[in-house]
C-alpha cells in the first residue's frame, strides 16, 4: 500500500528512464500548475423528510423511532461481507449516493463497485464521487472522466495533480500542497445508511489478492451517524481542494462506459472473482437491515472529522480530529486498547502513552510486526520509540504476517510493499465504554497532514469485544515485544506448544533490519 507522497517520490526517481523528467518539469513549471478554478455545481445531502421518504428510510423508520437519538451500528470485520455490503448499499439507494475514498484501485473490486455506481446512476440515483487524487491510478482517468459525463454522476478529485502521467512530478514542483491528502473513507446511501472505517476500495482490502491482504474493520451505521456523515461529505464536496473532474481529466470518450461494462462482465466470469460474486448472492447485512433481521448495537455516536482546510494547512487546531477526540473522550482512567497499523507515536505521543501507564492506566497497542508491515519507513518510525514505550509500561503486540499459521522461512518486505497478511484496522477502546472506528492512524501524517474521519461510539458491548480480543485473541495472533533485565528487546509468541522467544525481530533478515535502522535515523518522522 502507498503510505505517503514521500514514498511516491522515492519510487518515482528510481524508475529507469524518468530521472530527467523532474528537471524538465522544474524548467517548465507552468505545465505543472492547476488550471484556474471554474464554477462548481451546488449540491447538498437530502433533507430529513426527503431521506425518510426513501425506501431505505421507510425500511428503518420503525427501528429509528424505537431508539430515538441513537445510531444503529453493525461491525463489518469480514472482508467478503464488507465488500458485498457496499455493493448492496449502492443497489439499495434510490435518491443519492455520496462516496468518499482515499484509494480506489482499477482492479477486480474497484471495477465491480464502479459498475454498481454507474448502474445506480442509470436508474436515476444522484452519485457524487469524491476521490483523493493520490490514491487513484492514472489508468482510471478515462473511466472517471466518462462517469463524470453521465448526467447523474459528478466526480471531484481532492487536491489533484496537474500532470497525470507520472503524477510524481507534481511532488517535485508543489510538494507542500500535494503532501497533504484526504484519507477519509465513507459511502452513504440516501442520507440514511453509511459504511465507514479503515477500508479503501481495492482487492487487498477485501481479500481478493494473492499479495498483501489487509485485516480491517468498518461499520455499517444508520440514524444520526449516517446523517452526520452525509452532511460532513457536503463540507468536503464544496471545499476548495475538491476539484471538478472535468477541469483536471482529459475529455471523456463516449465509448468508455461500454469499456467499463465489458471489464465488469469479464470480472464476473473470472475464476478469481468467484468468491465475490458468490458473496453478492448471499443475504448481506444491508439486506438484513432492509428486512428487519439485522441485529444492531444501538448507541450514542459522535462524528469526528477534520476541517477540509487542513489539506491547505489552514485548519484551526481545535477543528482537528485529535483535538475533537480529546474533548469527547477525556483522559482514560482504567485502560486504553489501541489498534493502529501505522503506529508512529513520535516524542509527544510516546510521552502521552507512557504518562497514562504511569498513572495506572493499562495501555495496550496492536500494530504490525516487521514481517507483516507493508511499509518499512513507517515500521522504522515505530521501532524508534519502541524501547521508550516498553520502559514506560506500555504493552506492545505486533501482528504476525499470517496470523494463526507457522511462518516457515524468513520473509523480507520491501520499502514500498510486501506479501502476506497485514493489519489495516484503525480502532481503539477507552475504559471498556467507548470505541473509535475510522480512518485515523496514530502517526504524524494523520495528526498533522492528512484529513481523517471516524465515529466515537458509546458502547460497552463493542468496547468489551476489543478488550476481550486483547486478553484472549491478540496473544495468539501476535508477537509481544518485551525488555529483558538488561534493557534488550525480545519477542515472545504463544503457541499450543508453549512460548517461543525471539531475540531479533521475528522472521526478518539482517538486511531488512538494517534498512529499518537506516530509515529510523533519517529526519522523516513528520512525513510518516
Amino acid at each position: 500500500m502507498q503510505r505517503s507522497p514521500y514514498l511516491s517520490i522515492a519510487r518515482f526517481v528510481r524508475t529507469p528512464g524518468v530521472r530527467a523528467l523532474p528537471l524538465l518539469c522544474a524548467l517548465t513549471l507552468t505545465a505543472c500548475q492547476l488550471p484556474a478554478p471554474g464554477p462548481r455545481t451546488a449540491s447538498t445531502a437530502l433533507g430529513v423528510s426527503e431521506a425518510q421518504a426513501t425506501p431505505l428510510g421507510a425500511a428503518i423508520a420503525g427501528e429509528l423511532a424505537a431508539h430515538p437519538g441513537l445510531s444503529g451500528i453493525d461491525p463489518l470485520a469480514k472482508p467478503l461481507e464488507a465488500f458485498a455490503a457496499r455493493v448492496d448499499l449502492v443497489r439499495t439507494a434510490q435518491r443519492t449516493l455520496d462516496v468518499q475514498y482515499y484509494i480506489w484501485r482499477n482492479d477486480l473490486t474497484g471495477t465491480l463497485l464502479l459498475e454498481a455506481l454507474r448502474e445506480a446512476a442509470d436508474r436515476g440515483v444522484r452519485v457524487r464521487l469524491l476521490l483523493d487524487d493520490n490514491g487513484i491510478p492514472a489508468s482510471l482517468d478515462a473511466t472517471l472522466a466518462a462517469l463524470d459525463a453521465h448526467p447523474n454522476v459528478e466526480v471531484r478529485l481532492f487536491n489533484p495533480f496537474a500532470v497525470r502521467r507520472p503524477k510524481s512530478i507534481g511532488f517535485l514542483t508543489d510538494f507542500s500542497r500535494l503532501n497533504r491528502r484526504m484519507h477519509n473513507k465513507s459511502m452513504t446511501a440516501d442520507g440514511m445508511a453509511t459504511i465507514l472505517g479503515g477500508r479503501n476500495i481495492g482487492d487487498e482490502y477485501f481479500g481478493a489478492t494473492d499479495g498483501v491482504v489487509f485485516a480491517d474493520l468498518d461499520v455499517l451505521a444508520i440514524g444520526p451517524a449516517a446523517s452526520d456523515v452525509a452532511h460532513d461529505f457536503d463540507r468536503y464536496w464544496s471545499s476548495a481542494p475538491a476539484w471538478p473532474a472535468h477541469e483536471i481529466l482529459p475529455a471523456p470518450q463516449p465509448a468508455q462506459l461500454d469499456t467499463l461494462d465489458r471489464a465488469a462482465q469479464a470480472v464476473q466470469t473470472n475464476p478469481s472473482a468467484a468468491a465475490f460474486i458468490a458473496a453478492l448472492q448471499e443475504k448481506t447485512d444491508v439486506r438484513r437491515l432492509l428486512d428487519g433481521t439485522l441485529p444492531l448495537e444501538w448507541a450514542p455516536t459522535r462524528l469526528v472529522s477534520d476541517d477540509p482546510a487542513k489539506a491547505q494547512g489552514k485548519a484551526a487546531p481545535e477543528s482537528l480530529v485529535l483535538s475533537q477526540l480529546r474533548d469527547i473522550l477525556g483522559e482514560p482512567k482504567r485502560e486504553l486498547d489501541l489498534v493502529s497499523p501505522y503506529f508512529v507515536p513520535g516524542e509527544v505521543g510516546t510521552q502521552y502513552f507512557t504518562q497514562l501507564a504511569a498513572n495506572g492506566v493499562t495501555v495496550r497497542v496492536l500494530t504490525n510486526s516487521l514481517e507483516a508491515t507493508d511499509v518499512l519507513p513507517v515500521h522504522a518510525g515505530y521501532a524508534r520509540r519502541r524501547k521508550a514505550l516498553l520502559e514506560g509500561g506500555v504493552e506492545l503486540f505486533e501482528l504476525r504476517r499470517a496470523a494463526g499459521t507457522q511462518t516457515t522461512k524468513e520473509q523480507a518486505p520491501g520499502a514500498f510493499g510486501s506479501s502476506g497478511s497485514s493489519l489495516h484496522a484503525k480502532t481503539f477502546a477507552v475504559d471498556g465504554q467507548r470505541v473509535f472506528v475510522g480512518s485515523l492512524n496514530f502517526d504524524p501524517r494523520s495528526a498533522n497532514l492528512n484529513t481523517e474521519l471516524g465515529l466515537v461510539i458509546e458502547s460497552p458491548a463493542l468496547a468489551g469485544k476489543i478488550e476481550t480480543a486483547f486478553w484472549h485473541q491478540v496473544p495468539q495472533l501476535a508477537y509481544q515485544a518485551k525488555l529483558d533485565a538488561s534493557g534488550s528487546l525480545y519477542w515472545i509468541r504463544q503457541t499450543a506448544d508453549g512460548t517461543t522467544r525471539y531475540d531479533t525481530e521475528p522472521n526478518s533478515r539482517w538486511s531488512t533490519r538494517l534498512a529499518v535502522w537506516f530509515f529510523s535515523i533519517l529526519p522523516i518522522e513528520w512525513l510518516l
Side-chain angles (χ1 to χ4, degrees):
M1 172 186 171
Q2 184 171 299
R3 265 290 297 155
S4 76
Y6 170 81
L7 304 181
S8 296
I9 294 173
R11 177 160 37 200
F12 170 66
V13 298
R14 293 172 58 193
T15 303
V18 301
R19 291 183 177 88
L21 288 178
L23 178 60
L24 177 61
C25 187
L27 296 174
T28 56
L29 287 176
T30 55
C32 300
Q33 300 299 311
L34 293 173
R40 303 185 183 190
T41 304
S43 60
T44 58
L46 293 181
V48 174
S49 59
E50 293 177 295
Q52 292 174 341
T54 64
L56 180 56
I60 63 177
E63 286 271 46
L64 293 177
H67 302 89
L70 303 181
S71 296
I73 305 295
D74 172 45
L76 297 170
K78 296 180 180 179
L80 282 177
E81 292 179 0
F83 170 76
R86 282 171 168 79
V87 174
D88 259 0
L89 189 62
V90 171
R91 291 175 174 175
T92 297
Q94 294 296 313
R95 292 286 306 278
T96 65
L97 280 165
D98 293 333
V99 184
Q100 179 181 24
Y101 279 97
Y102 171 58
I103 288 175
W104 196 297
R105 303 286 193 210
N106 191 16
D107 56 13
L108 184 155
T109 53
T111 297
L112 289 177
L113 277 164
L114 281 180
E115 177 71 353
L117 292 178
R118 186 200 62 77
E119 291 173 348
D122 285 348
R123 66 173 186 268
V125 178
R126 183 195 70 187
V127 177
R128 296 189 293 178
L129 179 59
L130 177 60
L131 300 176
D132 184 272
D133 199 27
N134 190 53
I136 56 174
S139 60
L140 266 182
D141 279 4
T143 299
L144 293 175
L147 282 171
D148 185 58
H150 191 292
N152 291 325
V153 180
E154 186 175 357
V155 179
R156 292 188 181 178
L157 303 179
F158 196 89
N159 221 358
F161 293 75
V163 177
R164 308 307 298 169
R165 292 174 184 264
K167 290 182 180 179
S168 304
I169 286 178
F171 290 122
L172 298 171
T173 61
D174 198 6
F175 181 79
S176 61
R177 177 179 71 86
L178 295 174
N179 186 40
R180 296 175 176 272
R181 309 310 320 174
M182 181 191 74
H183 198 236
N184 310 34
K185 306 160 179 68
S186 69
M187 176 182 289
T188 307
D190 292 339
M192 297 301 297
T194 190
I195 294 175
L196 64 82
R199 287 186 177 92
N200 293 293
I201 305 301
D203 290 354
E204 62 266 42
Y205 302 97
F206 301 110
T209 176
D210 293 329
V212 62
V213 176
F214 288 122
D216 222 321
L217 177 66
D218 301 311
V219 294
L220 168 65
I222 63 172
S227 178
D228 290 344
V229 173
H231 288 95
D232 191 68
F233 179 92
D234 280 351
R235 186 168 65 143
Y236 275 81
W237 184 253
S238 61
S239 68
W243 284 67
H246 68 265
E247 295 182 3
I248 304 297
L249 300 180
Q253 300 300 315
Q256 189 60 39
L257 289 184
D258 294 335
T259 302
L260 175 62
D261 291 342
R262 289 192 296 271
Q265 291 168 8
V267 164
Q268 293 180 37
T269 59
N270 188 332
S272 63
F276 287 85
I277 302 306
L280 297 177
Q281 310 308 316
E282 299 293 328
K283 193 172 187 180
T284 68
D285 283 8
V286 171
R287 291 182 214 173
R288 294 186 186 96
L289 177 67
L290 292 172
D291 66 21
T293 61
L294 179 66
L296 294 167
E297 175 69 17
W298 290 93
T301 63
R302 291 277 298 275
L303 177 72
V304 291
S305 174
D306 280 315
D307 184 336
K310 182 182 181 183
Q312 299 172 298
K314 298 179 180 179
E318 63 272 14
S319 72
L320 303 182
V321 160
L322 287 183
S323 178
Q324 296 170 48
L325 285 172
R326 283 193 293 267
D327 292 343
I328 295 171
L329 296 173
E331 288 293 317
K333 299 297 189 294
R334 181 170 62 87
E335 63 187 5
L336 172 64
D337 294 324
L338 188 151
V339 179
S340 181
Y342 309 113
F343 180 61
V344 186
E347 182 177 355
V348 173
T350 300
Q351 291 175 353
Y352 172 73
F353 292 122
T354 55
Q355 186 60 54
L356 285 180
N359 293 339
V361 177
T362 298
V363 181
R364 293 179 291 237
V365 177
L366 174 64
T367 190
N368 278 311
S369 65
L370 178 55
E371 71 174 10
T373 189
D374 64 312
V375 184
L376 281 184
V378 171
H379 186 81
Y382 156 66
R384 182 182 179 187
R385 306 291 178 180
R386 186 162 42 195
K387 276 194 176 183
L389 290 165
L390 291 171
E391 289 169 348
V394 177
E395 299 177 39
L396 297 178
F397 297 87
E398 301 176 5
L399 187 74
R400 302 200 310 272
R401 176 184 293 271
T405 63
Q406 177 67 44
T407 304
T408 58
K409 62 180 180 179
E410 289 189 336
Q411 301 171 23
F416 310 110
S418 65
S419 61
S421 298
S422 185
L423 181 71
H424 195 256
K426 307 102 166 40
T427 185
F428 61 85
V430 177
D431 293 337
Q433 298 293 316
R434 300 177 296 281
V435 175
F436 170 86
V437 178
S439 66
L440 177 75
N441 292 304
F442 277 80
D443 59 18
R445 176 158 292 279
S446 286
N448 304 314
L449 298 173
N450 292 349
T451 67
E452 306 290 351
L453 171 77
L455 290 177
V456 175
I457 307 165
E458 298 279 345
S459 171
L462 293 180
K465 289 181 180 179
I466 294 176
E467 180 181 357
T468 298
F470 267 96
W471 283 112
H472 300 291
Q473 296 174 344
V474 169
Q476 306 303 316
L477 305 177
Y479 307 108
Q480 184 172 6
K482 289 180 170 289
L483 293 177
D484 63 19
S486 66
S488 297
L489 271 168
Y490 71 97
W491 291 257
I492 61 171
R493 175 186 175 186
Q494 305 291 345
T495 68
D497 299 326
T499 300
T500 302
R501 172 172 169 152
Y502 304 83
D503 290 318
T504 58
E505 300 218 39
N507 295 305
S508 65
R509 296 175 178 169
W510 70 267
S511 57
T512 306
R513 297 192 294 273
L514 179 63
V516 168
W517 170 82
F518 174 73
F519 283 121
S520 72
I521 64 174
L522 295 178
I524 60 172
E525 190 174 64
W526 67 281
L527 283 167
L528 301 178

